[in-house]
């Protein structure tokens, strides 16, 4: 049953999962009226993140059905509240994972809302008014202005959508570790999927020397020729891994399959840092010798704050960085979920929620 909350009077069409293992089907629900601090967004595109898949299947046991997934949202503002001066009708904007936070803690005050203890997400969260949040697999969204960013004019709205989650996930650790202003430093990217290919693009835009580390030999051509990576290490090849020993300043590990961190750590220079952004289901092996003998650091990172997300968007505009996407129609969501589960996508499915592609095809015909 869809919830009923006072003030939730706007009817919205979307797509929802209703039970673990079930199909995503069209779903009509209610959103709140546009409040004084809110903006209403006509959704154009929504990326499909692995987190969506986990929630759809209830892998983490926390899904509240019906679930309207989606936290890689781009669209156009159709209404602004009386308290909103930062946005106007017609603005091209994006909404990522965050829907609400406490606004008062040290993290909220420093625009690190993503680490607020009371953070609520764009879907499967509880908003301030007690309602369950519904995400971007829908035609319209009401969002508090504090969790909305501008999308630069230059960027395509389909390729920009995954920047809101996949992009910020790899951008933040690069910023935190001073990779944005350190041309020539050596970045390793483990895993070449949605997150990894964006890390390569950011790395090249900021003048870093980028090495892709992967288990599949077929990724080498892709990494070097299409994405401009400088080097490629096949992690299953001991000769490769030995040659790469102590060569990298920094590694972003995007791999979500189980793997030992030992061999990856050996690739770092002394004092190097390994940041985990992939989320394997079982605990990873962390051997202590490569840490101790190389004074190396292992840490994690989760998306980013809103200020950082805007900063990333602006830099993407400047360097013309978007995600490589495969755009699908809403009636292909179930097929895309099955392919996503097999990692069969280059590099992100994006749902054409607004029917933009269809209407431009009709214009051509
Ligand atoms: Zn995501
Ligand atoms: Zn807070």
């Amino acid at each position: 049953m869809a919830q009923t909350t006072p003030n939730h009077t706007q009817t919205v069409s979307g797509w929802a999962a209703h039970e673990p293992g079930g199909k995503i089907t069209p779903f009509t629900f209610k959103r709140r009226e546009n409040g004084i601090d809110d903006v209403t967004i006509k959704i154009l595109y929504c990326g499909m993140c692995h987190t969506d898949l986990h929630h759809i299947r209830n892998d983490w046991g926390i899904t509240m059905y019906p679930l309207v997934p989606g936290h890689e949202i781009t669209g156009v503002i159709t209404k602004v509240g009386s308290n909103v001066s930062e946005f106007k009708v017609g603005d091209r904007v994006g909404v990522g994972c965050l829907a609400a936070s406490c606004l008062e803690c040290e993290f909220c005050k420093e625009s690190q809302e993503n680490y607020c203890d009371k953070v609520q997400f764009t879907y499967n969260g509880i908003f301030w008014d007690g309602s369950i949040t519904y995400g971007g697999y829908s035609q319209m969204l009401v969002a508090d202005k504090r969790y909305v960013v501008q999308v630069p004019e230059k960027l395509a709205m389909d390729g920009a959508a995954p920047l809101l989650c996949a992009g910020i996930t790899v951008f933040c650790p690069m910023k935190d570790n001073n990779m944005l202003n350190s041309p020539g430093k050596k970045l390793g990217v483990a895993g070449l999927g949605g997150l990894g290919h964006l890390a390569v693009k950011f790395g090249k835009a900021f003048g870093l020397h980028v090495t892709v580390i992967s288990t599949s030999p077929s990724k080498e051509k892709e990494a070097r020729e299409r994405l401009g990576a400088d080097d490629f290490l096949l992690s299953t090849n001991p000769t490769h891994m030995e040659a790469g020993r102590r060569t990298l300043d920094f590694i972003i590990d995007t791999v979500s399959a189980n793997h030992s961190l030992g061999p990856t750590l050996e690739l770092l220079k002394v004092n190097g840092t390994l940041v985990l952004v992939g989320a394997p289901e079982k605990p990873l092996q962390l051997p202590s010798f490569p840490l101790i003998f190389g004074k190396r650091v292992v840490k994690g990172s989760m998306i980013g704050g809103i200020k950082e997300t805007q900063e990333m968007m602006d830099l993407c505009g400047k360097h013309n960085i978007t995600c490589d996407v495969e755009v699908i129609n809403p009636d292909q969501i179930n097929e895309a979920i099955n392919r996503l589960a097999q990692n069969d996508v280059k590099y992100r499915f994006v749902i054409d929620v607004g029917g933009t592609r269809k209407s431009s095809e009709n214009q051509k015909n």
Side-chain angles (χ1 to χ4, degrees):
M1 263 306 283
Q3 62 197 341
T4 48
T5 311
N7 249 2
H8 285 237
T9 52
Q10 305 202 72
T11 304
V12 186
S13 302
W15 294 269
H18 302 268
E19 59 187 343
K23 288 221 178 314
I24 302 268
T25 58
F27 174 62
T28 303
F29 61 98
K30 303 280 189 191
R31 290 205 189 273
R32 69 179 182 271
E33 286 298 311
N34 194 88
I36 56 171
D37 289 312
D38 288 334
V39 300
T40 296
I41 301 165
K42 176 183 158 48
I43 298 178
L44 295 178
Y45 293 100
C46 186
M48 295 177 72
C49 173
H50 269 269
T51 302
D52 301 352
L53 189 62
H54 290 301
H55 276 96
I56 290 165
R57 301 191 301 205
N58 197 18
D59 287 343
W60 299 329
I62 55 168
T63 303
M64 297 179 274
Y65 296 100
L67 174 88
V68 179
H71 58 206
E72 297 184 335
I73 302 164
T74 55
V76 176
I77 290 192
T78 56
K79 195 171 187 179
V80 299
S82 57
N83 225 1
V84 177
S85 55
E86 300 85 345
F87 300 98
K88 58 181 190 313
V89 170
D91 279 359
R92 292 154 35 99
V93 293
V95 173
C97 303
L98 308 177
S101 57
C102 85
L103 305 177
E104 285 168 358
C105 71
E106 59 177 305
F107 302 106
C108 285
K109 283 184 180 155
E110 288 171 6
S111 194
Q112 295 280 287
E113 306 88 350
N114 47 320
Y115 295 113
C116 172
D117 213 17
K118 294 180 178 147
V119 71
Q120 294 299 331
F121 296 112
T122 297
Y123 66 85
N124 205 53
I126 310 278
F127 192 65
W128 291 318
D129 64 5
S131 63
I132 293 171
T133 56
Y134 291 131
Y137 293 18
S138 64
Q139 292 183 326
M140 181 270 268
L141 179 72
V142 180
D144 185 283
K145 65 177 182 180
R146 298 172 186 88
Y147 308 96
V148 181
V149 297
Q150 300 274 5
V151 177
E153 206 51 48
K154 196 170 167 186
L155 297 182
M157 292 296 258
D158 52 359
L163 297 174
L164 276 310
C165 174
I168 191 66
T169 297
V170 293
F171 176 85
C172 256
M174 291 176 76
K175 181 183 147 87
D176 284 348
N177 290 276
N178 302 317
M179 302 300 276
L180 307 191
N181 295 308
S182 311
K185 285 252 187 187
K186 295 197 162 176
L187 165 70
V189 177
L192 194 66
L195 299 174
H197 93 291
L198 283 170
V200 175
K201 288 188 183 191
F202 285 132
K204 291 314 296 175
F206 301 130
L208 303 173
H209 181 280
V210 181
T211 300
V212 170
I213 305 145
S214 171
T215 52
S216 38
S218 63
K219 297 268 173 92
E220 176 161 8
K221 195 167 187 273
E222 176 84 3
R224 289 184 189 270
E225 293 177 12
R226 204 155 80 100
L227 299 167
D230 301 284
D231 220 335
F232 182 89
L233 297 176
L234 189 61
S235 54
T236 51
N237 182 327
T239 317
H240 272 206
M241 294 302 271
E242 181 57 32
R245 213 175 148 265
R246 290 196 173 198
T247 58
L248 304 174
D249 295 288
F250 181 69
I251 297 173
I252 299 184
D253 186 341
T254 71
V255 178
S256 56
N258 281 331
H259 59 297
S260 169
L261 298 180
T264 314
L265 281 169
E266 293 288 2
L267 301 173
L268 286 171
K269 294 178 184 173
V270 172
N271 269 322
T273 300
L274 169 64
V275 179
L276 302 176
V277 293
E281 277 166 38
K282 291 187 189 135
L284 297 174
Q285 277 179 29
L286 178 60
S288 48
F289 282 104
L291 285 184
I292 293 166
F293 282 78
K295 210 168 50 159
R296 296 166 176 122
V297 177
V298 179
K299 60 185 191 181
S301 182
M302 181 188 71
I303 49 170
I306 296 300
K307 212 169 124 191
E308 291 163 327
T309 308
Q310 186 64 66
E311 181 186 353
M312 173 203 68
M313 273 293 176
D314 295 343
L315 283 169
C316 286
K318 193 171 149 199
H319 295 282
N320 206 11
I321 297 174
T322 51
C323 185
D324 290 7
V325 296
E326 190 173 326
V327 180
I328 61 159
N329 294 326
D331 60 8
Q332 296 170 296
I333 291 175
N334 290 301
E335 190 189 319
I337 285 168
N338 290 337
R339 285 183 51 201
L340 187 60
Q342 323 277 328
N343 282 324
D344 174 23
V345 56
K346 274 185 184 171
Y347 281 93
R348 208 63 151 184
F349 287 116
V350 170
I351 309 165
D352 181 7
V353 172
T356 313
R357 191 174 57 161
K358 236 180 205 165
S359 62
S360 68
E361 273 167 16
N362 287 346
Q363 275 165 21
K364 268 184 249 160
N365 292 339

